[in-house]
């Protein structure tokens, strides 16, 4: 006895009590799954994209045009501002300092030198003054009579003939005779070479103005790139001092005076002012001037309190902000970037937790999750771009209203709230702007319960625009911004009205944009609005018309189910219109083999009598796949195809399953009939709407077999069918509550009772 007791104790001690895994263990197990890792990777990519797009290491610039600061704004750091007035002044000085450009044509001087050499040759070859050519003699007499500075003598002071002849002979002797003419010509060439290169000017033209009057640019004709600087004093003819000096360097002293007196009066300007090249040179000099700046010290006043920020002040504040950002150390930038990353991670985790418990398909479906994250990243990008134009409300409204249409309003509100937190943090908006954004978006989302017409979106936009204007004015007044009536606007004093009007216009524009984008949103997210559902509910659709022709009994059954299911769906807060359209098409697969379904069979005719139960089951079950294939061929949207595929779930085809069991027993077959072979392939209903259709479809079909459909029998039938499907686990994936199931039952009972209500028997007409 004792041995047995010890053995029993040992066996108890060895027993292991296995408890269900905790949340941490469940999370770790999930992380080992490949699909979970893929979704986490997608979320991480979106998170890092948002983080990078918001440039988190740089504090945002938070001032806006027309904003009235409550206190004086001073600089936090030393910075500089470009000074266009000082730059323009320096450029003008640079232009004036630049020499004027002239084009030099030496042909006139070359002709003059040749003429001079000819005159000197005549002088050398003449024995007396009288032997000269009359014109030459006149020129020589004038040159010999004038002093060496070129001043002409008066007529009564001219020397007599003998004196002229004597001076002429002295001059002729100084020239050295015919043997020295070649040498004299070379020396004259040296005298003229500089003038032929630099040119001559009578006087400075007006183009010089008050600019550089000391130097000029000179270039040979046809070669502007070869310009060179030249002092103005070297090219001015004036009193001929430069010419006289050069003659004194190269000619015998006795010849300098007469040659100068002959040459000086005949000198003319050879330089021509080049206006185009002068402007080009001056513009080049102006462009080379370095940018001029105004310098601001720390704590210097930038903007006054209670004064609207104008464009010039905003430019100054932005320069100060950029300099402050550039002055941040790498450590400060990293700290800010990590803080923003932590905020984004928190928002992602909390948002994911909410979606997992309230809209799980957004988390478990990779396509839906990717669409959500891409939309969020695109919205942030658009907000950052459009905030420069004051239109950041448009992308945020489009984001919120899109997800309100595609999923549920509570999900859209949560997502939009998260987006607004990110945007306010990264764009520099304050609490007031955050309140405006949330108020406007919430007012739009709560109105998107039912969209039966495109004008509904315009109405939503109009009402939300009023909310935007009111909230903008209210928040602005709380922030002590001046209101300013429109007729009292001076400068930027009406900025609050402009801010409110701009937000109202943006909100209204978002409504118009969503109206045009609605078909694309439906296709992208695989949803149907009531506008599209009303179009699909048209019974003249080719598939429904073909169903009427081939299987009129099935069509009649579908119409009855649609009426019952719509009322039941609306009773539990579902989309009744979606259920009605889904019911119209849920049995279209039966039109391929209509005579195998009881509602299309004539009295006494049943083709299943000649088939084994397994074959009959295959035919019955096939109508689900056939219907889905027909729907896809005719481009029916996926939500309607879901009704076709899910309206039987994985339920058992009981009639043929029982028939197979009876046949197996009658034949003495001990092999157990496999129940899985007699079940629909599924999937089970994924939404309340498809679950409602499942119950309504089964109830409507079964009610046809009631001999006397009294209210009590109808109630018993509905409860029996719904409870059987509940126990079979058909509602395990649509999150239906028992309270909702009871509400659906009550609605179906009322609908069936109305169909099979008792009628008053009228007396037969009396015979004559």
């Amino acid at each position: 006895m004792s041995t047995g007791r010890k053995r029993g104790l040992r066996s108890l001690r060895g027993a292991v009590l296995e408890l269900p895994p905790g949340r941490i263990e469940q999370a770790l197990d999930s992380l080992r799954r490949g699909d979970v890792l893929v979704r986490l990777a997608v979320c991480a990519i979106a998170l890092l994209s948002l983080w990078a797009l918001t440039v988190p290491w740089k504090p945002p610039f938070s001032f806006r045009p027309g904003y009235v600061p409550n206190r004086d704004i001073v600089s936090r750091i030393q910075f500089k501002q470009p000074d266009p007035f000082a730059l323009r002044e320096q450029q003008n000085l640079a232009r004036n300092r630049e020499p004027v450009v002239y084009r030099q044509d030496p042909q006139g001087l070359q002709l003059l030198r040749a003429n001079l050499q000819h005159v000197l040759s005549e002088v050398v070859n003449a024995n007396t003054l009288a032997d000269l050519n009359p014109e030459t003699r006149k020129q020589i007499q004038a040159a010999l009579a004038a002093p060496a500075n070129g001043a002409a003598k008066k007529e009564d002071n001219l020397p007599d003939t003998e004196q002229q002849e004597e001076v002429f002979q002295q001059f002729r002797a100084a020239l050295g005779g015919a043997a020295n003419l070649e040498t004299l010509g070379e020396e004259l060439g040296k005298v003229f070479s500089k003038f032929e290169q630099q040119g001559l000017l009578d006087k400075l033209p007006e183009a010089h103005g008050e600019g550089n009057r000391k130097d000029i640019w000179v270039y040979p004709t046809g070669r502007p790139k070869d310009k060179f600087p030249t002092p103005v004093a070297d090219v001015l003819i004036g009193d001929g001092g430069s010419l006289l000096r050069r003659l004194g360097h190269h000619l015998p002293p006795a010849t300098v005076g007469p040659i100068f007196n002959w040459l000086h009066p005949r000198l003319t300007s050879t330089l021509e002012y080049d206006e185009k090249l002068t402007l080009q040179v001056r513009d080049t000099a102006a462009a080379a001037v370095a940018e001029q700046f105004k310098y601001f010290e720390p704590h210097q006043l930038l903007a006054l309190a209670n004064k609207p920020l104008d464009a010039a002040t905003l430019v100054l504040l932005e320069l100060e902000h950029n300099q402050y950002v550039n002055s941040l150390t790498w450590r400060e930038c990293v700290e800010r970037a990590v803080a923003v990353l932590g905020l984004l991670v928190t928002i992602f985790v909390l948002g994911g937790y909410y979606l997992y418990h309230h809209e799980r398909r957004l988390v478990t479906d990779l396509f839906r999750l990717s669409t959500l994250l891409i939309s969020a990243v695109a919205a942030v990008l658009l907000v950052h771009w459009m905030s420069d134009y004051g239109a950041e409300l448009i992308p945020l409204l489009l984001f919120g209203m899109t997800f309100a249409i595609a999923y549920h309003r509570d999900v859209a509100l949560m997502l939009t709230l998260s987006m607004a937190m990110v945007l306010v943090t990264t764009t520099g908006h304050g609490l007031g702007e955050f309140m405006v954004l949330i108020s406007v978006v919430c007012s739009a989302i709560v109105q998107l319960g039912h969209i039966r017409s495109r004008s509904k979106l315009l109405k939503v936009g109009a009402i939300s625009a009023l909310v935007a204007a009111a909230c903008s004015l209210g928040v602005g007044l709380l922030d002590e911004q001046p209101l300013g009536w429109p007729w009292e606007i001076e400068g930027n004093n009406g900025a609050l009205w402009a801010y409110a009007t701009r937000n109202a216009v943006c909100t209204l524009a978002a409504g118009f944009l969503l109206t045009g984008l609605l078909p694309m949103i439906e296709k992208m997210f695989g949803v149907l609005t009531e506008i599209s559902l009303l179009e699909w509910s048209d019974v003249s659709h080719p598939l429904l018309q073909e169903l009427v022709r081939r299987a009129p009994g099935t069509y009649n059954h579908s119409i009855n189910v649609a009426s019952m299911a719509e009322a039941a769906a609306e009773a539990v807060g579902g989309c009744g219109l979606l259920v009605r359209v889904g019911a119209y098409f849920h049995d279209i697969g039966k039109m391929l083999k209509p005579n195998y379904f009881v509602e299309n069979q004539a009295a006494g005719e049943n083709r299943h009598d000649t088939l084994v139960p397994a074959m009959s089951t295959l035919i019955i079950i096939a109508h689900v796949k056939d219907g889905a294939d027909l729907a896809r061929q005719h481009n029916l949207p996926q939500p309607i195809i879901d009704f076709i595929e899910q309206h039987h779930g994985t339920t058992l085809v009981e009639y043929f399953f029982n028939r197979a069991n009876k046949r197996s027993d009658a034949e003495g077959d001990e092999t157990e009939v496999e129940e899985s072979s007699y079940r629909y392939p599924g999937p089970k209903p994924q939404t309340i709407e498809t679950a409602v259709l499942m119950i309504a479809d089964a109830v409507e079909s079964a009610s046809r077999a009631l001999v006397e459909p009294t209210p009590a029998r109808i109630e018993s039938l509905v409860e029996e069918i719904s409870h059987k499907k509940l126990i079979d686990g058909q509602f395990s994936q649509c999150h239906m509550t028992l309270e909702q199931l009871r509400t659906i039952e009550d609605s179906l009972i009322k609908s069936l009772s109305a169909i099979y209500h008792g009628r008053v028997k009228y007396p037969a007409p009396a015979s004559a």
Side-chain angles (χ1 to χ4, degrees), residues 65 238 425 542 593 626:
T425 303
K593 298 181 180 67
D626 293 339

Side-chain angles (χ1 to χ4, degrees), residues 161-394:
T161 304
E162 293 182 359
Q163 290 178 333
Q164 290 180 1
E165 183 67 30
E166 182 182 356
V167 172
F168 171 75
Q169 292 298 333
Q170 293 175 354
F171 174 63
R172 181 172 175 273
L175 291 176
N180 288 331
L181 282 178
E182 184 177 351
T183 303
L184 185 63
E186 293 177 356
E187 294 301 322
L188 285 175
K190 295 177 182 179
V191 172
F192 274 81
S193 62
K194 185 175 181 180
F195 296 125
E196 291 175 0
Q197 180 185 12
Q198 295 180 341
L200 294 172
L201 275 178
D202 288 332
K203 61 179 180 178
L204 292 179
E206 295 181 359
H208 278 260
E210 298 298 327
N212 189 343
R213 305 178 68 87
K214 183 178 179 182
D215 300 295
I216 60 172
W217 287 107
V218 177
Y219 71 89
T221 301
R223 293 185 293 168
K225 293 183 179 180
D226 296 336
K227 66 180 184 296
F228 54 90
T230 301
V232 173
D234 290 350
V235 298
L236 284 178
I237 297 174
D239 58 0
S242 176
L243 173 63
L244 189 61
R245 287 192 297 272
R246 290 190 65 81
L247 291 174
H249 288 313
H250 296 280
L251 299 180
T255 63
V256 171
I259 292 177
F260 174 81
N261 292 335
W262 184 91
L263 187 59
H264 183 260
R266 291 168 175 78
L267 293 177
T268 59
S269 295
T270 61
L271 294 174
E272 183 179 355
Y273 171 58
D274 191 330
E275 180 180 8
K276 181 178 180 181
L277 193 56
T278 299
L279 292 176
Q280 182 179 344
V281 169
R282 289 182 170 181
D283 290 342
T284 302
V289 175
E291 190 170 10
Q292 305 297 304
F293 296 95
K294 292 180 182 178
Y295 289 89
F296 294 83
E297 299 299 326
H299 309 296
Q300 186 171 341
L301 182 65
L302 302 180
L304 294 172
N306 302 318
K307 184 177 180 181
L309 300 179
D310 56 16
T313 306
L314 278 175
V315 170
L316 188 63
L317 292 174
E318 190 169 3
L319 287 171
E320 188 272 344
H321 172 77
N322 292 336
Q323 184 63 33
Y324 172 74
V325 170
N326 294 332
S327 69
L328 294 176
T329 64
W330 67 267
R331 181 175 179 179
E332 292 172 326
C333 294
V334 170
E335 289 174 353
R336 177 176 173 80
V338 171
V340 174
L341 181 62
L343 173 65
L344 291 176
V345 170
T346 302
I347 292 175
F348 265 65
V349 171
L350 294 177
Y353 182 83
Y354 180 89
L355 292 177
Y356 183 79
H357 289 280
H358 293 83
E359 192 66 35
R360 186 167 297 184
R361 56 180 175 163
L362 263 174
V363 179
T364 57
D365 190 319
L366 182 60
F367 175 77
R368 294 177 185 271
L369 179 62
S370 302
T371 304
L372 167 62
L373 295 175
I374 291 174
S375 301
V377 173
V380 170
L381 187 61
L382 285 173
V383 166
H384 275 264
W385 174 58
M386 300 186 73
S387 62
D388 295 336
Y389 307 96
E392 60 270 15
L393 257 176
I394 295 178

Side-chain angles (χ1 to χ4, degrees), residues 33 68 92 113 116 170 175 259 284 306 344 407 453 701:
R33 292 166 46 192
V68 179
N92 290 334
R113 184 181 63 179
L116 175 61
Q170 293 175 354
L175 291 176
I259 292 177
T284 302
N306 302 318
L344 291 176
Y407 297 102
S453 64
S701 299

Side-chain angles (χ1 to χ4, degrees), residues 438-459:
I438 290 300
S439 301
V440 176
V441 175
C442 288
S443 68
I445 290 176
V446 296
Q447 299 178 67
L448 293 174
H450 298 282
I451 307 176
R452 286 182 171 265
S453 64
R454 298 191 183 275
S455 61
K456 174 65 177 292
L457 294 175
L458 302 181
K459 181 180 178 182

